[in-house]
Amino acid sequence: MKTPMKISSFEEYHQVYKHSVEQPEQFWEGIANNFLWRKKWDKTLEWNFTEPKIKWFQGAKLNITENCLDRHLETLGDKPAIIWEPNDPSEDHRVLTYRQLYEKVCQFAHVLKNNGAKKGDRICIYMPMVPELAIAVLACARIGAIHSVVFGGFSAQSIADRIKDAECNIVITADGGYRGNKEIPLKSIIDDALVQCPSIKRCIVLTRSRTPISMIKGRDVWWEDEIKKVETQGNNTYEAEEMGAEDMLFILYTSGSTGKPKGVVHTCGGYMVYTGYTFANAFQYNQGEVYFCTADIGWITGHSYIAYGPLTQGATSVLFEGVPTWPSPARLWDIVEKYKVNILYTAPTAIRSLMSFGDDLLKGKDFSSLKKLGSVGEPINEEAWHWFDEKIGQGNCPIVDTWWQTETGGFMISPIAGVTPTKPGYATLPLPGIQPILVDENGKEIEGNGVSGNLCIKFPWPGMLRTTYGDHERCRTTYFATYHDLYFTGDGCLRDDDGYYRITGRVDDVLNVSGHRIGTAEVENAINMHSSVVESAVVGYPHDIKGQGVYAYVVCPNQHGDEELARKDIMMTVSRIIGAIARPDKIQFVSGLPKTRSGKIMRRILRKIAEGDTANLGDTSTLLDPAVVEEIKAGAL
Ligand code: WT7
């Protein structure tokens, strides 16, 4: 039986939700039947959250790219799959129809094969936001190789860490990339990374910026040369590799509260069903609508809601290379007007930033094509919500505030556009199939409404992570060991009197800076690499535009010279080690950190000081050296 993917009334939502909890397997089978399978599953679900072991659609065979491309050729072959808007608005835009995208993916699949790629290999992708990024991702999936996309803002060291962790054998990059008025020397960063990466046998380089680069004999080849070889052979089709539903589709690294980023693993069958279903349902996507997600494919939002989700649904997706503020802070509105965008999906940080430039920039812009709006990445404050609603949506567009995570694969708690009554600041209700639960510190369920607690999920869903690459134990301890038999999200959450959910932010040592996840421990490690730093502690503080800013307390005893210069040096170190996105906004030099007698840093106190809330620091009597708190308070930035 096939269940419709889209719900059309609030009443129906309640019915379907109830069914999805009572008969979860039947519910997901119905959804999965909307997709193209080479062979259907023998067993819908097998699971336990203790190991954890989660298997959806066991025995099924498929290739996700047949769902994204092949199955649309007959009906949608000449419809645009991707509309590419370049960084510089004076450069020509590009449109790729489903047929053209199909051919390009097939050609590049041959390129990968010709360069030694096999099913199961890990391939690192470090590219600008050009159509070839989507093509590279899909070509990996076509041949059954596992992609690991690294966002173009990460440093050589971060790339090397990720390549080594996944033992990638191929990397795909470009000579350079553009973001606003900056040019990013991608290939040169890759060259620095590869010094540490003997597993890489081949580097495929796309021409984008024509920056002079070095090409290493035997290792580096040009994308265009390789495509030419395939064209000469006339190879415009590629028989997709048959994948098991539980075979790995990709790895995406994300930060946690401890250690290096972990490789979140998503699998072919469940992820396909989940991203396709959530995209169709939450956005109520109708054939022909133009959809624009402003994220980068380097993050999960881009994986699920630029690449896979929309393509499985035959959607037309705008892929934007640049940034919302260049050449002017009206750039997104110009794109909306240019392509008559119907669905705009962006982040609160972008909304707040564009708001800050004033409403004059909106004058004369045509927003009339917009029908639905979406928000993702962090809690949206009411002011931004209302501005988005009134100024951009003209009061006519439902806003879907989608709460989810890299680990969840797709939307978890989200309004269904036009169906779920919305409330500013609320992700509202769980999508059918999702069973959230709030627990207290001891893991005891907090029942009823008008309560808050730690947000967990008590039943598996097809899009959830299966493991963390190469370290299943880490997956268990991070997500499944905090509370017995529950997936722990790391978020705090409020459920109001109507049963509506409002995410209040991370309860662990993870920061959310402009919608990017940053581990405080990672930033501390990077700061501590600086030769004059002895010790540091990093916390978040409220930031008007970024949501959270990075506040670093640094112990630097031999720092007697120019403080500003020392700050810049430390920031440079963090940019080098992680990437500019993790650079502290504030650095306070301190003589010591507040610690308990057992040597644990009292972050609670540091957080309060960073927030400017020094009146109420709570109990400091257990501190090793209470005087240090007074000094830190006095020097707070
Ligand atoms: C964390 C996940 C999921 C794509 C982007 C971020 C926060 C995400 C919302 C939202 C409040 C949100 C949570 C979550 N978050 N969406 N709509 N409202 N908070 O993915 O990097 O894996 O980060 O982002 O804190 O745990 P991510």
Side-chain angles (χ1 to χ4, degrees):
M1 221 203 35
K2 192 157 137 177
T3 314
M5 303 240 279
K6 293 198 279 180
I7 282 168
S8 51
S9 71
F10 200 37
E11 203 181 8
E12 191 188 346
Y13 163 78
H14 289 295
Q15 284 162 7
V16 174
Y17 186 78
K18 189 161 174 281
H19 166 65
S20 79
V21 172
E22 287 168 358
Q23 310 264 350
E25 298 188 21
Q26 216 185 63
F27 169 75
W28 286 114
E29 283 162 22
I31 297 294
N33 281 329
N34 288 285
F35 293 81
L36 178 69
W37 304 86
R38 293 231 187 136
K39 174 184 172 289
K40 289 273 174 89
W41 48 95
D42 308 313
K43 191 170 187 191
T44 307
L45 172 64
E46 187 186 342
W47 73 287
N48 71 67
F49 276 177
T50 33
E51 291 175 66
K53 174 176 170 185
I54 299 114
K55 289 182 190 291
W56 282 95
F57 312 119
Q58 264 182 95
K61 300 284 180 200
L62 75 151
N63 187 292
I64 193 169
T65 69
E66 290 185 333
N67 281 269
C68 292
L69 302 168
D70 306 54
R71 74 160 165 162
H72 302 314
L73 291 180
E74 210 173 297
T75 46
L76 304 171
D78 298 323
K79 288 267 165 63
I82 291 176
I83 300 174
W84 177 69
E85 169 72 6
N87 181 60
D88 182 343
S90 65
E91 188 181 337
D92 287 341
H93 74 277
R94 285 166 64 189
V95 177
L96 290 181
T97 63
Y98 270 94
R99 187 175 319 282
Q100 289 165 333
L101 182 61
Y102 165 81
E103 282 175 7
K104 288 189 182 292
V105 169
C106 287
Q107 286 178 339
F108 197 66
H110 281 289
V111 168
L112 290 175
K113 274 281 157 154
N114 292 345
N115 282 278
K118 300 179 309 297
K119 178 177 183 173
D121 285 355
R122 275 80 55 216
I123 297 183
C124 176
I125 302 179
Y126 186 66
M127 290 179 78
M129 276 285 282
V130 293
E132 284 73 15
L133 167 52
I135 292 165
V137 163
L138 293 167
C140 287
R142 189 109 183 143
I143 69 165
I146 299 158
H147 55 78
S148 166
V149 182
V150 178
F151 171 64
F154 279 115
S155 67
Q157 185 59 49
S158 296
I159 300 165
D161 289 343
R162 286 158 174 74
I163 288 177
K164 284 188 283 189
D165 187 72
E167 294 170 279
C168 298
N169 57 354
I170 296 181
V171 54
I172 308 169
T173 189
D175 46 2
Y178 303 112
R179 275 172 71 80
N181 55 11
K182 291 199 197 80
E183 196 182 316
I184 300 131
L186 297 167
K187 175 59 163 63
S188 141
I189 296 170
I190 284 290
D191 286 338
D192 289 345
L194 294 192
V195 172
Q196 298 184 42
C197 303
S199 64
I200 294 289
K201 303 295 177 227
R202 187 69 83 234
C203 174
I204 304 175
V205 187
L206 177 82
T207 305
R208 172 68 186 120
S209 61
R210 301 191 175 273
T211 325
I213 58 166
S214 55
M215 293 290 283
I216 305 298
K217 191 179 292 164
R219 189 193 71 184
D220 301 350
V221 296
W222 287 103
W223 175 298
E224 294 78 10
D225 291 347
E226 295 304 297
I227 289 287
K228 248 179 232 132
K229 288 182 204 161
V230 174
E231 275 172 352
T232 329
Q233 297 157 0
N235 277 335
N236 290 339
T237 59
Y238 188 102
E239 174 72 10
E241 189 74 36
E242 186 165 286
M243 305 299 285
E246 281 296 329
D247 286 345
M248 281 188 205
L249 174 62
F250 67 85
I251 306 170
L252 186 59
Y253 285 83
T254 191
S255 296
S257 47
T258 55
K260 294 212 159 154
K262 27 184 191 300
V264 168
V265 170
H266 285 288
T267 56
C268 296
Y271 178 83
M272 168 182 78
V273 169
Y274 199 66
T275 54
Y277 158 70
T278 49
F279 174 77
N281 201 12
F283 284 123
Q284 293 281 297
Y285 185 79
N286 299 312
Q287 203 36 253
E289 287 179 334
V290 176
Y291 163 83
F292 176 23
C293 167
T294 66
D296 191 292
I297 292 184
W299 307 107
I300 190 70
T301 307
H303 280 60
S304 301
Y305 299 110
I306 296 179
Y308 291 114
L311 292 173
T312 63
Q313 301 309 299
T316 295
S317 199
V318 176
L319 191 91
F320 173 40
E321 183 181 28
V323 296
T325 47
W326 193 86
S328 95
R331 186 66 193 277
L332 295 187
W333 321 135
D334 292 337
I335 298 174
V336 166
E337 193 173 307
K338 184 168 174 186
Y339 303 115
K340 299 196 168 39
V341 170
N342 304 118
I343 307 174
L344 174 65
Y345 187 35
T346 190
T349 185
I351 298 169
R352 286 191 300 263
S353 150
L354 300 179
M355 247 172 96
S356 75
F357 291 97
D359 294 351
D360 273 0
L361 283 159
L362 307 178
K363 285 204 184 110
K365 304 289 172 199
D366 186 0
F367 295 105
S368 63
S369 59
L370 287 174
K371 292 189 209 158
K372 294 158 247 185
L373 301 174
S375 169
V376 63
E378 49 175 322
I380 180 165
N381 49 308
E382 291 198 20
E383 198 192 350
W385 196 97
H386 285 297
W387 187 84
F388 199 34
D389 177 37
E390 288 156 25
K391 300 290 158 70
I392 306 306
Q394 317 264 294
N396 288 323
C397 304
I399 298 179
V400 295
D401 176 1
T402 61
W403 172 80
W404 58 296
Q405 311 177 294
T406 303
E407 294 85 345
T408 69
F411 309 153
M412 299 289 283
I413 302 182
S414 167
I416 295 172
V419 167
T420 314
T422 57
K423 259 187 219 186
Y426 282 76
T428 73
L429 298 169
L431 290 174
I434 300 306
Q435 301 186 32
I437 156 173
L438 300 183
V439 299
D440 66 15
E441 254 94 275
N442 305 314
K444 199 173 159 305
E445 175 162 11
I446 303 171
E447 285 171 283
N449 290 339
V451 293
S452 36
N454 290 343
L455 178 61
C456 295
I457 313 289
K458 63 178 173 195
F459 195 85
W461 62 101
M464 72 185 298
L465 86 164
R466 300 297 192 266
T467 188
T468 47
Y469 192 83
D471 193 351
H472 194 62
E473 179 58 10
R474 192 164 177 208
C475 173
R476 191 186 70 79
T477 54
T478 311
Y479 306 105
F480 299 92
T482 318
Y483 304 115
H484 178 67
D485 248 358
L486 297 173
Y487 165 81
F488 176 44
T489 65
D491 280 318
C493 181
L494 175 137
R495 187 167 53 218
D496 77 358
D497 293 332
D498 297 327
Y500 268 41
Y501 291 82
R502 177 189 189 126
I503 311 301
T504 48
R506 304 287 305 196
V507 294
D508 52 9
D509 289 319
V510 172
L511 306 184
N512 193 325
V513 179
S514 301
H516 301 323
R517 219 158 119 174
I518 292 169
T520 51
E522 243 184 294
V523 184
E524 288 163 8
N525 287 338
I527 293 174
N528 297 348
M529 304 274 276
H530 189 281
S531 61
S532 50
V533 172
V534 169
E535 205 182 9
S536 63
V538 165
V539 297
Y541 71 97
H543 187 289
D544 284 349
I545 306 286
K546 298 177 171 190
Q548 271 188 310
V550 179
Y551 195 119
Y553 297 92
V554 180
V555 183
C556 215
N558 298 318
Q559 163 20 62
H560 302 301
D562 184 343
E563 274 207 359
E564 258 330 287
L565 201 62
R567 284 201 177 91
K568 284 192 181 136
D569 280 354
I570 290 170
M571 290 193 189
M572 183 51 89
T573 308
V574 176
S575 291
R576 274 252 180 259
I577 304 293
I578 305 175
I581 53 169
R583 205 161 49 194
D585 297 277
K586 294 182 178 180
I587 294 177
Q588 180 181 352
F589 292 110
V590 296
S591 66
L593 298 169
K595 287 186 184 168
T596 61
R597 284 189 189 116
S598 59
K600 223 178 136 236
I601 297 173
M602 299 272 287
R603 289 171 183 284
R604 181 179 53 81
I605 292 175
L606 294 175
R607 247 181 251 127
K608 289 241 172 206
I609 296 174
E611 286 165 8
D613 180 15
T614 48
N616 198 0
L617 291 185
D619 185 15
T620 55
S621 62
T622 55
L623 285 181
L624 199 57
D625 177 10
V628 92
V629 175
E630 295 309 314
E631 177 216 303
I632 296 176
K633 256 162 73 175
L637 301 169

